[in-house]
Amino acid sequence: VSGIKDIVEPIKTEYVEGQDIDLTGGYIITEYNDETEEIVYLTDSDVTIEGFDNSTIGTQTIIVRYKGKTITFDIKIIAKSVEEIEINTYPTKLTYLQNLENVDLTGGTIKVKYNNGTEETINITESMIDGFDNTVIGPQEITVTYYGKTITFNVQIIEKEIFESAEMVKLSKGGGKRETDSKEIKYL
């Protein structure tokens, strides 16, 4: 090989942070001393690629090496961002007593889908939600926001009714025996 005459870049030259390089469609045109040419695909085992870092945002110059000769092309890495969120699991508690119980998001998770094709599951936290008000009876739509994307789920606030029954303390003359008070509290 006397040199690399030209390069046809891969189909994909823009990547999202975290994606692996894809050399599909790319090739070099090599020249020999006898002036013949050969097409060598970038996926060929004799071709090495240097300079790709999927964690560094911006333009990168990729070096293609083949039998001691080099040629370059540029790619661009863009920041990973959230494309979509969806409820993965609802919180265990979806019904609350008016003025008594605070929001409990235990068990609630969202699935986060990123622009690089990856996904992850995130616990829903109080800092992500809006719309919970335990003073208002009825259904409430809770909005979950994560990196500018939103999804909703519903909870129910129910009225508390307390029924009490109590027995008076009775003291008997025979030894000062005390019968205990009893209270029953029922939430509906």
Side-chain angles (χ1 to χ4, degrees), residues 105 129-133 140-144 151-155:
L105 301 169
I129 68 161
D130 189 38
F132 182 83
D133 182 354
Q140 293 182 7
E141 186 174 80
I142 306 301
T143 301
V144 180
I151 191 79
T152 61
F153 67 93
N154 293 317
V155 298

Side-chain angles (χ1 to χ4, degrees), residues 61 101 132 174:
T61 299
E101 296 179 302
F132 182 83

Side-chain angles (χ1 to χ4, degrees), residues 100-151:
L100 189 63
E101 296 179 302
N102 293 320
V103 69
D104 180 359
L105 301 169
T106 302
T109 61
I110 56 172
K111 183 183 290 183
V112 181
K113 296 180 180 183
Y114 295 98
N115 61 342
N116 67 354
T118 62
E119 297 179 354
E120 73 178 314
T121 301
I122 304 286
N123 290 328
I124 300 172
T125 64
E126 281 191 57
S127 64
M128 295 177 178
I129 68 161
D130 189 38
F132 182 83
D133 182 354
N134 71 357
T135 66
V136 179
I137 296 171
Q140 293 182 7
E141 186 174 80
I142 306 301
T143 301
V144 180
T145 303
Y146 188 74
Y147 285 91
K149 304 297 180 184
T150 60
I151 191 79

Side-chain angles (χ1 to χ4, degrees), residues 2-50:
S2 60
I4 299 175
K5 180 178 179 181
D6 201 4
I7 185 168
V8 172
E9 296 178 358
I11 296 166
K12 184 171 183 155
T13 58
E14 184 171 293
Y15 296 87
V16 178
E17 179 182 12
Q19 285 183 322
D20 292 328
I21 196 165
D22 180 357
L23 301 172
T24 303
Y27 59 89
I28 53 175
I29 301 169
T30 60
E31 291 182 301
Y32 291 91
N33 291 336
D34 64 3
E35 296 185 14
T36 58
E37 296 178 350
E38 179 184 11
I39 292 176
V40 179
Y41 288 93
L42 298 182
T43 55
D44 187 285
S45 61
D46 290 332
V47 174
T48 58
I49 304 296
E50 299 172 8

Side-chain angles (χ1 to χ4, degrees), residues 168-180:
M168 298 299 293
V169 175
K170 296 182 180 178
L171 294 176
S172 67
K173 292 184 182 179
K177 181 178 176 187
R178 178 180 176 170
E179 294 181 16
T180 58

